[in-house]
Every structure is written in structure tokens, then in C-alpha cells.
Amino acid sequence: MVFRFAGIVLLAAALPGSAPSLLGQQAENPQPLSAMPYSPSLDVTSLDRSVDPCVDFYKFSCGGWQKNNPIPADQSAWSVYAKLGDENTQFLWGILKEDAAMKHRTPVQQKIGDYFSACMDTAAIDKLGGAPIAPAMARLAALPDRAAVFAALARLQHLTSGSYFFRAGPEQDPDDSSRILVSVNAAGLGLPDRDYYLKTDPKSVETRAKYVEYIARLMVLSGETPEQAAADSAAVLKIETALAKASLSRVDRRDPYKVFHKMTVAQLSALAPVVPWESFFAQQGVPGLTAVNVAQPEFQKAVDAELTTEPLDALKAYLRFHLVSSAAPVLSSAFSTADFDFYRGYLRGAKEQPPRWKQCVRAVDRQLGEALGQEFVARTFSADTKAKTVLMTRQIEDEMQVEIEHLDWMSDDTKKEALRKLHAVRNKVGYPDQWRDYSSLTIRPDDYFGDAERAAQFERARQWAKVGKPVDRNEWGMTPPTVNAYFNPQMNDINFPAGVLQPPLYDPKMDDAPNYGNTGATIGHELTHGFDDEGRKFDDQGNLKDWWTKEDAAHFEDRINCVREEYAGFVVVDDIHINSKLTSGEDVADLGGTLLAYMAWKKATAGETLKPADGFTPDQRFFVGMAQWACENTRPENLRLQALTDPHSPGVARINGVVSNMPEFAKAFSCKSGQPMVRAKACKVW
Ligand SMILES: [Zn+2]
């Protein structure tokens, strides 16, 4: 539960639940990474040479990959990133099997090994059924009145991982990034976005009906009669629909000013008096709190209205459902299958559950990520890779400086501030300088539910303990094996876990062209986030502060609108187009990042005679290397969900949208004006 004001900006969508996994065929044993059959960085088997690169560069670069890599049954999408994530998972499986069985273990090996053992023991987990949550469910059913419900909110948020009406937690103060503030934010929905509750098209109506079935299924599993469960599921949907109506859209939430309303706890109590806020915060371990950020004041009013007007039984059903729904993945197979069937099966189109070992490796990574990460890094991340990627990062930052200095639309005053911000960016590569200390957390080999609950409790306590302490700028928001990267606007840092700096994305044995095209563009992407339509609102210290002149801000908005218009032309699925107001931060990061990587590659190889290879010129290899990070296949169900919730455009737009705006690309492939990959009016922001 990481609460951040503006939200960290990922390179790719974080996948839900057990995340990416599974090669085409089922692996029978843990795999050493070196034995993984990976293609070289520039993978010619992934090409489709029957396609003209000037007509559809994505298809040209990835058509072969798409044909050769059907989506495995347990996945809702399959991509170069997901495949690499799966390889990491198989590798980690070997480590965990070893750590589970060894006699003499370090404390870290004991924790991750025993957690894995407990998770794998499905016989013991199934025997317990819903027993682990039965006492808490009974307590909720017995709440005598509204006041008891209001008080239960504090206890539930302290002790369980469910999403009850709103969420609270520490975040950096938008006014002063060196301080930690507590935020209260909208939450409490079981569907992935508020639009699922509000849209009236047949698909949305069907989804709500399926959701109600899912709620009832869990309630029956928890011991209710089918009649009671039907009444309760209708009550839950009614409450969540009211909350959805009061929630800001994802597009609005990208504006950091729209979710920033600092007030005292007394003011919050006046705004939304039903929740006993002082005791709520005292129970989370932060008594005497003065200031809070109420991200969505209108939403908190709606919570109050629901808590006041809904029948007591409806409120209790809502709390019970969110308790069992959040626990379902770690309960017996009856519960975890219900969770899979709705969230991964119906909503995302996966056909079957991932094998148990895979679910358990993912669970260890989620809950003990910096313990498992130590084992991963020690075996995979070489000093050579670190040195080379750190150097590449600096080179790309140098090119950003060149870009800023030469912008024709920005005044010198704003340029000065932009450069100040650029020079303050912190580069984090591979893994944290200091590992998280899990020593106070008890993990047992025979208590999966208890382990999961204690680990979640440990994390919540770690988060709340930040209040009143200096901000730890060395903290990471991703675990080392993660195949992804992010920029955090309040930390003003860019972060590249060891998991993303591996073949086929980064290959120290390959030449520079595909490496700069692929990993270089990723580094440029994260750096550009500091200057996208959201990131530009934060200054060099990570504070929400306007450092733009009015004219320069207007010039920037003109340029961003050019990008928005272009990307709105791409279709995601059926007749659903990209919501480019949601994706513009990512789209501009893709554009700027690729250009920066290209410039850095040119400078790094200046004076060298670069030779053609694989039938491509060096410039062509740069662009093919760039495109091949994004090769993917996605099920239509998942595309529909992505269209509503994912700030990233689909792979085809992330590649064709970039190259069609780059004269460097047109030159490399001798594309003529009028061809689809050459825009008559190219957009350029950075
Ligand atoms: Zn991004």
C-alpha cells in the first residue's frame, strides 16, 4: 500500500494479481536464467518482412513475434515484457525451492523459503476453507448499530487489506516533498474503475451483472443462504454505485491540483463528520495528527451520506464483502477460484489459473520483495551491466540538457528552471542501496493465511511509521526482479529495477544500436515523465509548484494537444479509441524518450564506423530494437479494460505513434511523405 500524491509513473501497466507469467509450454522445473532461450536483442525471427516498415512499423517489427507467441491459457496478454517476467519467475522458483528445503539458512532465506512452502501447501489451505476470516466476518455481522460500523472502519483499515469506502495513508507533502503528510483518498470499489458503474452500454450492464454474481458467490462461500447473498450483493452494488458517482475520473486525477486539499483533522471532521477521524488516525498509529490531504472532498461527503442513509444491514454486507474479497486470493481454492474467475477470467479473458508455484513466487515477490530481491540480484545483476546502464542514463540526461537548451518555444527563464529540475533527477539503477529489514516479521512454513496477513500488517505499519520522519529518498517502489521502470514526481527520481535490465531488453553482449533503441528509450521515457503534462507541475525538489511562464505553459499545452489529437486516432478494440487525455503523459514520454535515446546513441558512437547487420543499417537497427520492446498479444477483454484504466497506449500506438513523428525514422527507412509512418504534421514536445 504505497500512497503517493501524483502516483508513480510506470513504463508499462502493472499487471493485476499474479502478474505476467508462463511461457508457451509449461515449464516442469525451475530454470537457470542463463539457460533461458532468449533471442538476441535484435530478434529477426520477430519481424514480418512482408509488411512495409513505412506502412506499419509495429507489424514489421513484431508481426513474427505475434505469430510465434500465442497468449498462454493463464494469461490475459502476452508480451516481450511478460515473457521476461515469466523467465524471472521460473528462476526465482528455483531459489525458493532451495530456500524452502535447506537446513542451514540465513534469516532472509528462512522467511522467503517458509512463505513459499506455506503457499504451496494447498491441502492445508483447502482444509481451512473460510475459517481464517470467519471470526472477523462474524464480528461484522454482529455490529449492533451505525456507531459500531463507523468505529469498525478504523479497525478494518488497520488490520486487513480490504478497500472500505476510502483509503488513508502517508504520502509526501505536495507543498514540501521532504515531509510526510497523511492522505485520505477515494476507494471502496470492487470494479476497476468508476465508469463500470456509470456506463449504460450492454457490455457495461453485463459486467455489473457478472460482478453481482461474483459478490453473491463469495457471500455464499462465507456461509450465507443464496437468498441473503442475492440481497447483499444488490446492496453492495448500490453503495458502490453511489461512491463511483462521487469519484473523480482517471483523467481528472492526473491533475495534481485536483486531488490536493490540505486541511486540519478538525476541518475534515467538519466536512465529513460521520467517521470519528481522531480515533481513526490514533488507531493507525498516528495520534494527534494535524494536517491531512483530503484528495477528493466531494467523495468524502458521499461516503458520509452512504454511511448515514443506507440500511445498517447493507453497510454490514458491504464491509463483509470487501473483507472476504480481499482475502479470497489467500484462502482455499473455492475462494481463490472465484477471485480468478471474475477478475482474471471474465474481466481480462484468461482461460485458466497459473500453476500454483507461479502464484506463490509472485506472492513472495509482492510481500517480501526486498528479501527475495537480494537473492535475485546476487545471482543476476553484474557490475558490468550496472556500470553500462548507469553511463547510458547519464548520457541520456546530457541529451535532455541539449534538447532543453535548443527548444525554440521555451523562454530562457523557464529553461533555467527546467535545467535545474533535470540536474536534480536522481538515478536509481538495479536495486536499493539498503535492503528493507524484515526481521520483526514472523513467517511460518505451515500458516499461509497468517503469513500473508502478518506481511500485509508489517507493510501497513512500515508505511504509517513514516509519518513525522524524514523522507527516505533511497526507498524503491518496485522490487528488483520486476520487469518495469518508473518515475516518481515527488522524489524526482527515475528507477530501473535489475529485472528490466536483462536480455532481450538489455544485452551487454550486443552492440549499441538495439540497446540504446530499447533500454535507452526506456530510460529516456522515464526521464521525460519529469516533463510531461503531469510531471511538469513539480519542481526540482518534487514540490507542486508552477515554474513556467504563462506563455511557455501555453506553448507546452499546444504541443501536448497535438499529441492528444494524434493518439485519439488509434483504435484499442472494437470501436473504442484511445482516451488520449488519459495516455498523453505516457505518449509524450515515449516520443521524447526515443528521441533522447537516439541522440545519445549518435553521440556515444560518434567517430565509429557502424556496420550493417541482419540486413539493416545501424539506424534501422536502432528503431527495430526500440519497437521490439513492445511486441505483444492481448485478449479483447483485457483491451476493453485497458481502454478504461490504463494510462499507457497499446503497443502498436506506442511504436507507430512515435516513429511517425520522427524524421530520423523516415530517413532511416527511406519513407516518403504521404506514407502512413510519415505524419504530414509531426508532433514534438521534447
Ligand atoms: Zn511511463
Side-chain angles (χ1 to χ4, degrees):
M1 121 173 150
V2 180
F3 294 103
R4 284 200 178 88
F5 177 65
I8 58 177
V9 197
L10 313 179
L11 176 74
L15 291 159
S18 53
S21 44
L22 207 64
L23 291 162
Q25 68 275 24
Q26 188 65 53
E28 295 301 331
N29 289 297
Q31 301 287 314
L33 270 186
S34 56
M36 293 295 170
Y38 72 80
S39 24
S41 292
L42 205 169
D43 178 5
V44 291
T45 65
S46 290
L47 300 169
D48 181 349
R49 290 189 192 263
S50 73
V51 176
D52 182 344
C54 299
V55 172
D56 185 344
F57 188 56
Y58 182 74
K59 201 83 198 158
F60 173 81
S61 304
C62 291
W65 190 96
Q66 289 178 309
K67 230 174 278 160
N68 299 335
N69 292 278
I71 306 172
D74 67 335
Q75 297 297 307
S76 50
W78 198 226
S79 64
V80 169
Y81 266 49
K83 249 179 115 160
L84 179 55
D86 188 76
E87 289 168 11
N88 287 348
T89 304
Q90 290 187 44
F91 177 67
L92 293 168
W93 181 23
I95 295 174
L96 288 169
K97 273 181 103 166
E98 232 175 80
D99 288 351
M102 276 193 305
K103 280 225 163 62
H104 303 286
R105 303 185 290 185
T106 65
V108 161
Q109 289 167 334
Q110 180 272 320
K111 284 199 174 32
I112 59 179
D114 284 353
Y115 188 106
F116 183 71
S117 294
C119 177
M120 288 300 289
D121 190 355
T122 48
I125 294 166
D126 282 344
K127 214 169 132 195
L128 286 173
I133 58 165
M137 293 290 276
R139 268 200 301 279
L140 289 177
L143 293 174
D145 52 31
R146 271 172 212 280
V149 167
F150 308 156
L153 285 175
R155 202 171 56 246
L156 285 167
Q157 297 216 10
H158 179 57
L159 291 174
T160 82
S161 306
S163 182
Y164 310 96
F165 290 101
F166 59 89
R167 61 187 161 92
E171 66 174 27
Q172 278 175 275
D173 186 340
D175 282 334
D176 178 357
S177 70
S178 71
R179 293 161 50 94
I180 295 287
L181 188 66
V182 168
S183 87
V184 178
N185 215 324
L189 305 182
L191 286 167
D193 190 84
R194 64 160 209 166
D195 283 5
Y196 281 96
Y197 298 87
L198 309 179
K199 289 171 68 173
T200 53
D201 60 282
K203 191 77 198 163
S204 301
V205 172
E206 178 199 284
T207 302
R208 286 195 288 277
K210 293 278 183 191
Y211 181 50
V212 166
E213 276 174 30
Y214 162 70
I215 298 171
R217 184 172 169 187
L218 282 190
M219 295 310 242
V220 168
L221 282 174
S222 318
E224 287 189 0
T225 63
E227 295 71 36
Q228 186 61 44
D232 283 351
S233 54
V236 171
L237 184 70
K238 181 165 179 279
I239 292 174
E240 292 188 12
T241 304
L243 298 179
K245 277 184 190 151
S247 307
L248 289 180
S249 71
R250 280 175 198 270
V251 169
D252 278 338
R253 271 149 45 205
R254 290 193 64 235
D255 181 345
Y257 289 100
K258 285 192 179 157
V259 287
F260 183 34
H261 308 91
K262 208 194 267 188
M263 56 182 80
T264 63
V265 174
Q267 284 169 323
L268 170 59
S269 298
L271 174 86
V274 166
V275 178
W277 291 106
E278 281 189 27
S279 66
F280 177 90
F281 290 123
Q283 186 139 19
Q284 315 310 321
V286 289
L289 198 66
T290 49
V292 284
N293 173 30
V294 180
Q296 301 188 31
E298 289 307 312
F299 179 85
Q300 291 308 134
K301 284 192 207 166
V303 169
D304 259 33
E306 286 305 293
L307 288 169
T308 318
T309 58
E310 290 292 339
L312 181 61
D313 282 345
L315 295 174
K316 285 157 61 170
Y318 171 87
L319 296 181
R320 286 207 310 284
F321 164 65
H322 279 275
L323 178 72
V324 62
S325 182
S326 71
V330 294
L331 291 174
S332 66
S333 59
F335 289 88
S336 58
T337 301
D339 174 78
F340 170 84
D341 286 350
F342 182 67
Y343 285 110
R344 301 269 296 165
Y346 175 72
L347 280 182
R348 290 184 179 263
K351 305 295 177 213
E352 63 184 47
Q353 295 197 47
R356 186 70 188 176
W357 65 263
K358 193 164 295 191
Q359 298 179 38
C360 291
V361 173
R362 293 284 170 194
V364 177
D365 182 52
R366 266 198 308 278
Q367 292 209 288
L368 295 163
E370 288 199 12
L372 183 59
Q374 294 176 39
E375 302 275 279
F376 179 77
V377 164
R379 290 163 171 85
T380 60
F381 197 56
S382 72
D384 179 44
T385 293
K386 174 140 184 168
K388 280 181 173 155
T389 48
V390 164
L391 174 68
M392 196 191 272
T393 308
R394 293 209 190 100
Q395 291 169 333
I396 285 163
E397 286 168 343
D398 288 348
E399 292 315 305
M400 186 70 168
Q401 170 160 349
V402 173
E403 265 297 281
I404 292 170
E405 285 168 346
H406 288 86
L407 286 179
D408 57 7
W409 55 268
M410 189 183 266
S411 69
D412 287 346
D413 285 348
T414 306
K415 279 185 183 177
K416 219 174 98 190
E417 293 304 314
L419 290 171
R420 193 202 303 277
K421 174 160 180 171
L422 172 67
H423 294 147
V425 171
R426 298 183 69 221
N427 304 335
K428 285 152 71 178
V429 177
Y431 54 91
D433 293 338
Q434 197 166 9
W435 295 107
R436 194 163 297 164
D437 176 10
Y438 293 98
S439 55
S440 66
L441 171 62
T442 302
I443 298 293
R444 289 170 30 193
D446 56 359
D447 181 17
Y448 183 48
F449 183 83
D451 288 342
E453 200 173 44
R454 282 188 296 273
Q457 179 71 21
F458 172 88
E459 175 59 13
R460 283 192 294 273
R462 191 182 75 80
Q463 292 292 342
W464 282 106
K466 291 176 178 177
V467 179
K469 299 216 183 74
V471 169
D472 175 10
R473 292 189 182 268
N474 293 319
E475 185 180 356
W476 280 67
M478 276 179 188
T479 68
T482 305
V483 185
N484 211 331
Y486 69 95
F487 166 75
N488 181 335
Q490 289 183 280
M491 291 286 197
N492 197 22
D493 63 10
I494 50 178
N495 302 260
F496 307 95
V500 80
L501 302 172
Q502 297 181 81
L505 302 174
Y506 181 81
D507 189 344
K509 294 193 285 295
M510 286 291 290
D511 66 299
D512 283 337
N515 276 333
Y516 277 79
N518 192 320
T519 294
T522 298
I523 295 168
H525 172 104
E526 299 309 335
L527 186 64
T528 306
H529 270 314
F531 304 87
D532 71 19
D533 47 348
E534 185 175 354
R536 77 175 187 87
K537 294 173 179 164
F538 295 84
D539 70 5
D540 60 322
Q541 298 302 309
N543 296 327
L544 187 56
K545 199 173 144 196
D546 190 2
W547 45 271
W548 295 66
T549 67
K550 243 199 183 105
E551 297 73 37
D552 291 338
H555 290 149
F556 178 91
E557 285 303 321
D558 284 348
R559 279 166 174 73
I560 272 284
N561 282 332
C562 176
V563 176
R564 287 181 186 140
E565 273 166 38
E566 270 188 16
Y567 280 75
F570 286 96
V571 170
V572 182
V573 63
D574 304 335
D575 58 347
I576 306 172
H577 284 242
I578 289 179
N579 177 1
S580 59
K581 281 184 183 155
L582 178 62
T583 62
S584 54
E586 297 298 334
D587 300 333
V588 77
D590 285 339
L591 275 169
T594 306
L595 179 61
L596 292 177
Y598 182 83
M599 291 163 62
W601 170 60
K602 283 284 164 187
K603 198 168 278 180
T605 54
E608 290 176 34
T609 313
L610 303 177
K611 294 198 187 80
D614 316 311
F616 291 113
T617 67
D619 274 61
Q620 289 173 338
R621 297 179 80 243
F622 171 91
F623 284 107
V624 173
M626 188 279 281
Q628 288 191 339
W629 85 259
C631 300
E632 66 187 16
N633 284 313
T634 311
R635 296 194 198 279
E637 293 88 343
N638 200 47
L639 284 171
R640 267 180 224 113
L641 187 138
Q642 266 178 282
L644 275 185
T645 61
D646 193 347
H648 304 88
S649 295
V652 58
R654 297 189 73 172
I655 301 310
N656 289 351
V658 167
V659 299
S660 61
N661 284 300
M662 288 183 75
E664 296 85 353
F665 169 81
K667 197 172 158 217
F669 284 90
S670 306
C671 302
K672 308 272 177 304
S673 64
Q675 288 193 285
M677 293 298 102
V678 185
R679 301 243 180 212
K681 180 181 160 252
C683 299
K684 182 172 184 294
V685 183
W686 298 104

